[in-house]
């Protein structure tokens, strides 16, 4: 399994969403690979809004500006 949990403090999230932790995975086998959005203004809330709009129940950010 390529998914490894890391400990970081939770962030403020929109209603209905909960923090499940920070994880690392392998670039070649991404755990969340269906939706892609990015930009310098990426936050957890922006990523969640993007993913919720696509009908996903999970959202995650990486490299500080990719969803």
């Amino acid at each position: 399994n390529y998914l490894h949990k890391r400990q970081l403090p939770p962030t403020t999230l929109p209603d209905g969403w909960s923090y499940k932790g920070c994880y690392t995975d392998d670039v070649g086998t991404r755990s969340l690979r269906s939706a892609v959005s990015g930009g310098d203004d990426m936050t957890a809330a922006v990523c969640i809004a993007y993913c919720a709009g696509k009908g996903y129940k999970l959202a995650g950010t990486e490299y500080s500006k990719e969803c």
Side-chain angles (χ1 to χ4, degrees):
N1 188 350
Y2 295 103
L3 192 62
H4 304 282
K5 187 171 184 177
R6 294 176 43 196
Q7 296 298 323
L8 288 178
T11 185
T12 303
L13 302 174
D15 289 342
W17 288 80
S18 61
Y19 179 78
K20 299 298 183 189
C22 181
Y23 295 81
T24 60
D25 63 5
D26 185 86
V27 173
T29 56
R30 288 285 179 221
S31 299
L32 301 174
R33 57 183 167 254
S34 297
V36 176
S37 179
D40 290 335
D41 62 343
M42 183 58 62
T43 64
V46 169
C47 183
I48 288 168
Y50 174 80
C51 290
K54 298 278 188 189
Y56 297 118
K57 295 181 184 213
L58 295 173
T61 57
E62 61 186 8
Y63 300 115
S64 301
K65 59 181 175 180
E66 293 180 5
C67 177

